Amino acid sequence: GVTVTAVLCGCIIRNEWKEVQMLKKPETTVSQPKTPQPLPEEYEGEKIIVNSGSSETFADSILEDGKVKKEGQKLIIDDNPVMYTYDNMEADIQMLLAGYPRWLTCEEIAKTVDRRSVYCLIIGNPQAGQSILMGGGIHGREYMTSQLVMKQTVAFLRHLEAGDSYHNVSYEKLLENTAIYSIPMINPDGVSISQKGMDGILTESVKEQIRNIAQLDGQQPEGSYLERWKANAAGVDLNRNFDAQWQEY
């Protein structure tokens, strides 16, 4: 079995931090990834590690003549942008894969209705006996949590690179039997709708769907109505859609 610790991040609209809630379920069992990839001992500058599902475009976008373009580039997350977008996150993921190939891999775990990718960053060995899951951006308007989870992910990688310790235990030692799974933006469509309104929607079919939902709500698909958007592009509130015995509450 695999021990799973889940960290769920919540906030209120307009990037105001509200709470971080940690839920521990030490006996939860999940299946192992079907084709875990070994972690390289060193980075040769020839490729980046992107696990199953990720597109060639995603990987190739930071390559130049087969080498990773790293000079002069900086993580967007380090600039603390007021609005951290899906494109910002994707660019940062590319840089992190280039900079930390020994410890970091990435999987595209889903495609959204509006044709965006849901990425899962994995720090450490996917075959480890214990797992820590961090997720953010499950409600579109609560996009600050995506920024927070990305910052936590970057911080851990930098501790690893620096050889730091936590309570006299090295970060590398902490990863011997633990993998960290980080999903910074669970609901990228909802985030984009909240941040950019109809301009944040990629496909005409989804635009029409949002117009229909707004009509059912007696609203116009603009302004504060879309800024406060919580659901995904299909109108589903993902945070109320778990098989988690909600009827008991």
Side-chain angles (χ1 to χ4, degrees):
V2 178
T3 301
V4 177
T5 299
V7 181
L8 306 179
C9 301
C11 75
I12 58 177
I13 195 168
R14 298 189 185 281
N15 283 359
E16 297 177 68
W17 174 245
K18 185 179 181 182
E19 65 179 354
V20 175
Q21 181 182 13
M22 179 174 287
L23 306 176
K24 294 186 178 180
K25 297 184 178 180
E27 300 304 322
T28 302
T29 300
V30 297
S31 60
Q32 294 284 1
K34 293 181 180 178
T35 54
Q37 304 241 347
L39 299 178
E41 290 300 318
E42 58 184 2
Y43 179 55
E44 301 294 343
E46 296 178 355
K47 64 178 181 178
I48 53 179
I49 310 300
V50 182
N51 285 349
S52 59
S54 295
S55 65
E56 261 188 72
T57 303
F58 178 77
D60 291 345
S61 61
I62 59 166
L63 297 177
E64 188 174 71
D65 298 327
K67 302 291 183 180
V68 174
K69 300 180 289 185
K70 292 197 287 187
E71 291 186 12
Q73 297 197 36
K74 180 182 179 182
L75 291 174
I76 298 169
I77 199 75
D78 287 335
D79 287 332
N80 298 315
V82 173
M83 185 178 290
Y84 190 68
T85 67
Y86 171 80
D87 290 340
N88 293 158
M89 178 195 68
E90 202 170 49
D92 278 349
I93 288 174
Q94 293 169 347
M95 290 302 297
L96 290 174
L97 288 168
Y100 301 96
R102 181 179 176 187
W103 296 294
L104 185 67
T105 54
C106 179
E107 292 184 0
E108 181 192 65
I109 59 174
K111 272 288 189 187
T112 69
V113 175
D114 205 30
R115 301 180 184 173
R116 292 182 176 86
S117 299
V118 179
Y119 296 110
C120 179
L121 297 171
I122 307 169
I123 303 175
N125 186 354
Q127 293 181 299
Q130 300 183 97
S131 300
I132 297 173
L133 172 64
M134 303 189 299
I138 194 166
H139 277 156
R141 69 190 189 188
E142 297 169 2
Y143 46 82
M144 178 193 172
T145 56
S146 297
Q147 201 163 343
L148 171 66
V149 171
M150 280 295 289
K151 277 188 169 290
Q152 290 173 323
T153 303
V154 171
F156 199 96
L157 288 168
R158 286 173 175 164
H159 283 306
L160 278 169
E161 183 180 45
D164 292 339
S165 297
Y166 179 77
H167 288 209
N168 297 319
V169 179
S170 72
Y171 278 80
E172 191 151 9
K173 180 77 173 176
L174 291 172
L175 282 182
E176 283 186 358
N177 194 39
T178 303
I180 299 174
Y181 291 78
S182 173
I183 310 175
M185 199 173 288
I186 297 172
N187 180 14
D189 290 351
V191 168
S192 298
I193 290 169
S194 177
Q195 290 177 340
K196 302 178 182 179
M198 296 296 280
D199 291 339
I201 301 173
L202 303 176
T203 60
E204 188 55 42
S205 61
V206 171
K207 288 182 180 179
E208 184 61 29
Q209 186 161 258
I210 299 303
R211 293 187 192 103
N212 292 337
I213 293 171
Q215 185 176 21
L216 290 171
D217 284 340
Q219 301 286 335
Q220 293 296 319
E222 59 187 22
S224 62
Y225 175 75
L226 294 183
E227 287 176 7
R228 296 178 60 84
W229 191 267
K230 293 172 63 177
N232 65 8
V236 176
D237 185 340
L238 298 177
N239 204 35
R240 302 291 186 272
N241 203 40
F242 294 104
D243 182 13
Q245 300 177 325
W246 296 114
Q247 65 275 12
E248 294 185 4
Y249 299 93

